[in-house]
Amino acid sequence: MNDTEQLIKEALGQLAERAPHPGPTLNALRRKRKRQRNVFMIAVAGVAAVAVLIFAGIVASDRYVPPNPNDAGAVLVPGNGQDVALKYAPHWLPEGFVENSRTTNNAVTRVWGPADGKASVVISTLGGLPDTGGWDEVGVRGLKAWAKVADGAARVVWKAQDALEVSVRGLDDVRAVALRVAESVRADAKTTHKAPFKVEGRYADQMSGVGADQWDASLNVGSVTVHVATQKPELAAAEPVSVRGKEGLRSGNTVAVSDGGRWIWATSSAYSDRLAELVTEVELTDAPDTGWLGKGL
């Protein structure tokens, strides 16, 4: 070994003496890899947990679990405003059946039927289960239910979050159809009904029709029934009367006027100035919810 080689050897030896021990560095690398594995495992576990929660939510909603209280639709109840939560919807109906009527006063009732009006399927929320003495005990989606056929109509009642009833008439096997419709009913916290008018702070709670351009909505105010509709009411021997700042019509115990492309009228068993007052006080909704009329599933 010459002098140059000896000098290089000594320099490398000095560098090696000054270098830190490799143990801490190797340990740090091992810990880093372990943390990366832990993060990966935590992420995998999180995804799995979310999947379980989503699956559980789907199963729960399928079994009528009450809607999330933070859901805007969940806080809407019949009678508390213009938008009313319908809460339940069928997922099977006889072929050709379309929705033609809704009532949203003390409870929610929805009616479907064919164009000829000879049959109907009605789904209602009830204040409680009726007396089911003498009814047949059946099942609806794993819940205890009761069925009864009388006067050509079948009724099925059961308790989900609310007491529910399906009634069917005008078909060959009303009991089988009623059970099948009941089995298809699901909780629905998002679908709402928007009333087309209000009067004296109350919104119309009945509406029926055959399509978005042919309907009639109404509200009972004491002994007077107030209507808003797309069609002129049938009036006999009408005489002109001033109402809502327009020329309207009076026929017997009915006062009517056309306003904003809608007919507004009030009727009662006896005539009084109250009829014209209520017609004047009617507040029309700018964009009434009529898209559901004449629509199937």
Side-chain angles (χ1 to χ4, degrees), residues 269-283:
S269 58
Y271 178 81
S272 70
D273 293 340
R274 175 77 166 149
L275 300 178
E277 291 174 2
L278 287 173
V279 169
T280 298
E281 293 177 10
V282 165
E283 298 178 42

Side-chain angles (χ1 to χ4, degrees), residues 197 199 208 214-221 224-235 241 243-244 248-251 253-259 261-268 274-282 284:
F197 77 90
V199 60
S208 60
Q214 192 172 346
W215 52 265
D216 180 348
S218 63
L219 173 69
N220 291 327
V221 183
V224 178
T225 302
V226 180
H227 292 259
V228 171
T230 56
Q231 307 295 317
K232 180 180 178 180
E234 294 184 5
L235 301 173
V241 62
V243 60
R244 294 179 72 88
L249 299 170
R250 176 194 167 186
S251 176
N253 301 327
T254 299
V255 171
V257 66
S258 177
D259 189 357
R262 303 284 181 262
W263 276 91
I264 306 169
W265 73 92
T267 186
S268 184
R274 175 77 166 149
L275 300 178
E277 291 174 2
L278 287 173
V279 169
T280 298
E281 293 177 10
V282 165
L284 297 173

